[in-house]
Amino acid sequence: MRSDTLNLTWIYTKKIMKAWFQYRSDALLRSVTVFLREATGIIVIYFTLLKFDSLNGWNMYEMFFLYSLLFLTYGIMIIFFTGLRDFGRTVRDGSFDRYILRPRGLLFQIIFANADWFAAVGHGGLGVVLFLISAQKVGIEWNVWYAVYYMFAIIGGVLIQGAIFLFLATLNIYLLETSSLKELFYFNMRKFAGYPVSLFQKPIQILMIYVVPFAFVNYFPSQYLLRKDDMQQYPEIFLYLTPVIGIGMYIAAYFFWRYSIRFYKSSGN
Amino acid sequence: MITLESVSKFIISDFHIHIPQGECVGLIGVSGAGKTTLLKLMSGLLAPKHGYIRTIGRNPVREKGTYGRDMGIFLTGKSNLENQDTAREALEMLCHVYRIPKEEFHRSYEALSERFAFREYEEKRIKDLSLGQRMRVELAAVLMLKPKLLLLDEPDIGLDENGKAAFWKILEEERRKGMTIVVSSHNPVEISRHCSRIALIDEGKLLFYGTEKRLRSKYASMDIMQLKLDGKIPDLEDLPLKKYEAEQDMLRLFYDANLVSAAEIIGLILKQTQVKEIQVIKPNLTDMIMQLKGVKEDELNRGK
């Protein structure tokens, strides 16, 4: 990155931060709302597991650990990919036409001019809380290697979800509206990902592993650290693939984007 | 500066135009005539279905994003400003994006905020401004880039008289310094007064392209004389009139001022009858355009 680009990145970020501090109470409230909205899902798990002890061999804290990865990666991802998550809006309100004519990278502008810090803090905060609650109680003996693995797993998980957003945003160029696809292939899949993937029927497992690979965002990385019995039905290599899949998917989505952007049609007035 | 050859896209069909450097071209046409589509084609936002486009010597679709400060564009509904910024912040942001040096920004900002008179509300957020106030800041934003080519889509919407005056004055100055400007409007009178050339567009076709003077001499030498008679209707068969209409004591004559003068007509009429009132009407640009549309349609129909 050229220093001038870094400078603009900083200016964009400063600007978003400024908006954040300008509406401090509103910002805080929105983050808290996101936090609580997402936490209700966890509370349901909590009460379920009070009754059933475990889900497919996973106890409450292990479930929380599984969840924490999901929230942490989403929290980080949403800092960078809000502009792509809301790509339909970016196109509709004319921002995209504006970006496209400017002497700056298109993805760069979409990524850095938009960042949903409210959601980031809400989701990320919940991820951190769940991690703190569970990390000590799931029997992981943390060492440097585990910490490094964990970091790479998070980077991979961020990239996998970022690639899905980038892919769905690109589809927007061909189809008029993709928000229902996003609902179906992203947010619904993400709900499944709150549970160990081994819990589901074969078709859903295939979907979660090979199609929308949420299993690599949280299930397999958690398995690397927890080594639960249900891992036996999957190849061991799956434990190490998260960063590779993340980078691979992102590169593929990026090229799809670069290719498709030529077909972008500005809307009429 | 801009060349379009047999370009088709949406309503635009088989469109040819060449805009040399330093001209200010006014695109005139009713809503839906294709003005915005043309501007988008010139800027590279739209790719032509057929045809050839060069903007500043480059293919705008393939090389959009490389023009940098060479091209400034304002399209209705595609604001260059961020809603939550103040005018100063919004313009400063553009400077970062377009890599305009700080000193230059301060100089331009001082000058433009002065001339568009938005100093008094420069601390307000863009979203809290009225349409006219916002437009002033919007125009200052594109002019700040000092582009070689400026494309403006109906920039006079919402501007009051002072705003318009400031805007056209700045455009005139920039054009003298060599800026090429393409500006659309559906107010033909305003635009023809300020642009060096006008392009009449109707249903995606270029009806006329040239100076206002040429438009007037070529198509609109038809004057109208309206008389209130006090007596019989005169015999006018000897005059080369285009047509005449008589209604009770009113007589309306349509004639080509190049072929017959008003004095000749009046002379002949006064020999035959009494006249209470005389009124000679020079058609305005709007009438002319209506007339031109008629002429062209006739020509087209004859060709079929």
Side-chain angles (χ1 to χ4, degrees):
Chain A
M1 253 195 241
R2 289 216 302 258
S3 71
D4 163 60
T5 308
L6 267 177
N7 183 39
L8 186 61
T9 310
W10 169 236
I11 288 162
Y12 276 136
T13 310
K14 220 164 52 181
K15 205 179 165 70
I16 292 165
M17 288 298 187
K18 210 177 117 201
W20 160 269
F21 280 112
Q22 234 151 26
Y23 304 103
R24 218 167 320 168
S25 53
D26 180 46
L28 200 69
L29 211 66
R30 277 170 67 183
S31 296
V32 169
T33 314
V34 171
F35 183 96
L36 290 177
R37 185 189 68 205
E38 299 302 324
T40 46
I42 307 295
I43 292 165
V44 171
I45 303 277
Y46 175 78
F47 283 113
T48 314
L49 287 172
L50 275 186
K51 253 205 145 83
F52 294 102
D53 255 7
S54 72
L55 262 173
N56 216 22
W58 291 59
N59 70 29
M60 190 197 300
Y61 289 109
E62 287 159 349
M63 288 290 289
F64 286 173
F65 191 77
L66 188 69
Y67 254 108
S68 75
L69 265 172
L70 204 55
F71 285 115
L72 278 174
T73 51
Y74 188 84
I76 297 171
M77 195 262 303
I78 212 63
I79 298 174
F80 297 108
F81 293 94
T82 308
L84 290 169
R85 181 191 63 188
D86 304 338
F87 187 70
R89 195 201 66 203
T90 310
V91 170
R92 270 195 305 279
D93 72 9
S95 307
F96 192 69
D97 280 355
R98 196 165 72 198
Y99 296 150
I100 216 170
L101 292 177
R102 288 184 176 172
R104 298 286 186 162
L106 203 49
L107 263 187
F108 168 79
Q109 294 184 71
I110 294 172
I111 287 174
F112 288 103
N114 303 279
D116 190 349
W117 287 90
F118 310 107
V121 170
H123 284 268
L126 185 59
V128 170
V129 168
L130 287 172
F131 178 79
L132 291 179
I133 292 175
S134 60
Q136 294 300 316
K137 306 211 170 154
V138 288
I140 303 170
E141 286 180 28
W142 287 94
N143 56 34
V144 177
W145 166 243
Y146 274 8
V148 170
Y149 176 91
Y150 193 77
M151 254 174 49
F152 273 97
I154 285 185
I155 293 170
V158 167
L159 284 174
I160 288 172
Q161 294 171 81
I164 296 171
F165 275 2
L166 181 54
F167 179 78
L168 289 172
T170 309
L171 275 188
N172 237 315
I173 293 168
Y174 300 99
L175 310 167
L176 279 178
E177 186 53 65
T178 55
S179 61
S180 45
L181 281 179
K182 192 167 60 199
E183 232 9 87
L184 187 66
F185 284 106
Y186 185 83
F187 288 105
N188 280 339
M189 286 297 129
R190 189 161 161 262
K191 275 181 201 141
F192 284 134
Y195 302 89
V197 74
S198 57
L199 194 70
F200 297 108
Q201 308 283 327
K202 206 81 210 162
I204 294 183
Q205 289 198 25
I206 289 170
L207 205 61
M208 299 284 294
I209 295 173
Y210 300 105
V211 184
V212 190
F214 260 110
F216 290 95
V217 174
N218 64 343
Y219 179 74
F220 292 121
S222 301
Q223 277 291 16
Y224 179 78
L225 299 165
L226 302 175
R227 304 287 174 157
K228 309 288 298 174
D229 293 342
D230 54 332
M231 186 59 209
Q232 280 160 14
Q233 53 187 302
Y234 306 109
E236 197 177 326
I237 182 86
F238 279 9
L239 298 175
Y240 305 95
L241 285 184
T242 298
V244 180
I245 291 176
I247 292 169
M249 278 178 71
Y250 193 78
I251 289 173
Y254 178 72
F255 279 105
F256 180 49
W257 160 267
R258 281 297 296 264
Y259 171 78
S260 306
I261 209 69
R262 289 187 285 162
F263 303 107
Y264 169 73
K265 284 195 229 44
S266 168
S267 60
N269 268 17
Chain B
M1 205 68 179
I2 301 179
T3 303
L4 269 70
E5 276 169 26
S6 41
V7 168
S8 300
K9 180 75 183 184
F10 303 145
I11 194 167
I12 300 291
S13 68
D14 199 24
F15 202 95
H16 295 258
I17 198 167
H18 175 72
I19 299 173
Q21 196 237 324
E23 293 285 347
C24 175
V25 175
L27 302 178
I28 303 177
V30 295
S31 308
K35 303 186 297 287
T36 305
T37 304
L38 270 178
L39 288 169
K40 285 185 173 176
L41 285 165
M42 290 169 179
S43 68
L45 271 180
L46 283 176
K49 195 163 171 234
H50 302 291
Y52 168 95
I53 302 179
R54 283 292 173 273
T55 301
I56 321 184
R58 281 173 267 174
N59 177 341
V61 173
R62 201 164 307 151
E63 303 194 34
K64 58 181 169 242
T66 67
Y67 285 94
R69 290 181 66 184
D70 285 353
M71 182 162 70
I73 179 162
F74 169 74
L75 290 170
T76 357
K78 316 251 167 179
S79 171
N80 280 308
L81 315 168
E82 297 286 346
N83 269 324
Q84 72 277 11
D85 285 350
T86 66
R88 181 182 273 277
E89 286 168 346
L91 265 58
E92 197 170 5
M93 191 69 219
L94 281 177
C95 277
H96 290 302
V97 173
Y98 283 92
R99 305 183 174 99
I100 295 175
K102 249 201 174 91
E103 312 81 64
E104 190 189 336
F105 164 68
H106 287 300
R107 239 179 301 128
S108 306
Y109 185 83
E110 295 297 305
L112 288 164
S113 59
E114 188 76 42
R115 300 195 66 175
F116 280 111
F118 56 78
R119 280 289 178 76
E120 64 227 64
Y121 47 85
E122 69 174 359
E123 292 308 319
K124 271 195 185 172
R125 290 169 189 286
I126 298 292
K127 65 172 160 51
D128 297 328
L129 299 181
S130 74
L131 180 61
Q133 290 176 328
R134 189 188 170 119
M135 194 59 95
R136 287 165 181 244
V137 182
E138 204 79 67
L139 293 172
V142 275
L143 284 163
M144 183 182 67
L145 303 179
K146 296 218 163 34
K148 289 187 183 132
L149 173 65
L150 182 60
L151 304 174
L152 300 169
D153 189 19
E154 309 205 344
D156 48 355
I157 288 181
L159 282 185
D160 58 11
E161 290 311 314
N162 289 336
K164 275 186 199 165
F167 164 65
W168 287 113
K169 192 146 185 282
I170 296 174
L171 278 202
E172 176 58 32
E173 288 168 15
E174 293 298 336
R175 188 175 78 80
R176 283 215 201 102
K177 286 187 224 155
M179 191 186 281
T180 311
I181 301 157
V182 183
V183 49
S184 83
S185 172
H186 50 229
N187 182 353
V189 180
E190 182 95 16
I191 215 168
S192 61
R193 201 185 312 147
H194 296 286
C195 292
S196 58
R197 286 187 185 181
I198 52 184
L200 286 182
I201 293 147
D202 186 56
E203 292 182 11
K205 294 239 180 313
L206 186 62
L207 290 189
F208 171 82
Y209 177 52
T211 60
E212 187 201 353
K213 223 171 166 184
R214 209 181 115 235
L215 176 67
R216 282 190 185 278
S217 70
K218 192 168 177 194
Y219 292 103
S221 43
M222 189 131 83
D223 288 3
I224 303 165
M225 187 186 292
Q226 203 162 273
L227 303 118
K228 206 170 208 176
L229 301 174
D230 190 18
K232 68 174 174 95
I233 292 177
D235 177 358
L236 298 169
E237 288 306 317
D238 292 342
L239 289 176
L241 298 178
K242 283 260 163 67
K243 63 173 179 174
Y244 62 90
E245 293 165 358
E247 203 179 307
Q248 291 169 356
D249 61 344
M250 290 288 289
L251 183 63
R252 202 175 289 127
L253 312 175
F254 298 80
Y255 60 97
D256 186 335
N258 295 331
L259 297 176
V260 58
S261 72
E264 277 177 75
I265 300 173
I266 295 168
L268 191 73
I269 292 172
L270 285 178
K271 270 184 209 155
Q272 302 178 40
T273 186
Q274 299 284 316
V275 176
K276 274 196 283 195
E277 260 178 58
I278 300 179
Q279 196 184 1
V280 175
I281 303 162
K282 289 266 176 198
N284 65 25
L285 206 66
T286 317
D287 298 332
M288 249 185 270
I289 292 163
M290 293 314 291
Q291 225 175 295
L292 187 59
K293 274 175 73 171
V295 172
K296 278 278 165 161
E297 257 157 47
D298 285 353
E299 279 176 15
L300 287 174
N301 289 340
R302 225 171 293 148
K304 269 175 196 163

